[in-house]
Amino acid sequence: MAEHEFHLKAVWPGGRNSEGYIEAGNLQTKISIPSAMEGPNVGTNPDEMLLGAAATCYIITLAAMIERAHLPLENMSLESIGFVDVTMGVFTYKKIIHKPTVSLKQEASATDFEKLNVLIVEAERNCMISKAIKGNVDVEVEPIVSKSQV
């Protein structure tokens, strides 16, 4: 069994509305609370980073599954939306919706599209981040699937 470690260093100089900095491998950025939550809105924030982790994990997992299935991928993109509920001053990350757009090459068969539709759902179930947040944050997938027009 292989085990991988990831390290992050954070600097936070003051109170709630300060601006901090994080560094984790290739990720190096300022952090603060977003303006929607009455913060200074500098750099990124935990809400965006959780959404980014879930989205990148999902699209990379889907790409790997499509490759292993030998599907004729033309292109793929993703839009993801995170929903945070604020009730009585308590912030709760409620839901993430992934909206992948996947196009297969012109030679793709009906069977290829059937496999793709299964993989789109399975990728969310197999994504490490989806597994980590399961039971706390709902994750939904709303795909757009097409055949290349070229």
Side-chain angles (χ1 to χ4, degrees):
M1 178 179 99
E3 184 172 285
H4 304 279
E5 289 186 10
F6 298 91
H7 298 263
L8 182 139
K9 292 182 182 180
V11 175
W12 191 264
R16 179 191 186 278
N17 285 328
S18 291
E19 300 168 16
Y21 183 81
I22 60 169
E23 186 174 309
N26 292 324
L27 175 62
Q28 301 166 5
T29 187
K30 291 180 181 182
I31 57 171
S32 73
I33 295 173
S35 58
M37 296 176 179
E38 300 176 8
N41 200 43
V42 174
T44 191
N45 58 69
D47 309 287
E48 290 173 342
M49 289 191 296
L50 179 61
L51 181 61
T56 55
C57 183
Y58 174 76
I59 198 164
I60 291 169
T61 301
L62 180 57
M65 294 174 83
I66 289 171
E67 183 177 279
R68 282 193 301 270
H70 304 288
L71 296 180
L73 180 64
E74 178 70 26
N75 58 53
M76 180 169 50
S77 63
L78 178 66
E79 176 188 356
S80 294
I81 305 166
F83 297 87
V84 175
D85 176 68
V86 183
T87 301
M88 295 173 49
V90 177
F91 293 82
T92 305
Y93 218 113
K94 298 299 280 185
K95 178 169 62 172
I96 293 172
I97 300 176
H98 294 310
K99 297 182 176 190
T101 299
V102 184
S103 178
L104 296 182
K105 293 181 180 173
Q106 191 66 35
E107 68 266 16
S109 68
T111 302
D112 289 335
F113 281 96
E114 288 172 14
K115 287 180 188 176
L116 176 61
N117 286 320
V118 170
L119 295 179
I120 285 170
V121 174
E122 287 298 312
E124 189 276 318
R125 291 186 192 134
N126 288 299
C127 164
M128 175 179 65
I129 302 300
S130 291
K131 288 178 185 179
I133 63 176
K134 187 174 182 164
N136 293 305
V137 179
D138 293 328
V139 181
E140 299 175 7
V141 179
E142 298 177 0
I144 299 170
V145 175
S146 66
K147 185 179 274 195
S148 173
Q149 301 300 314
V150 178

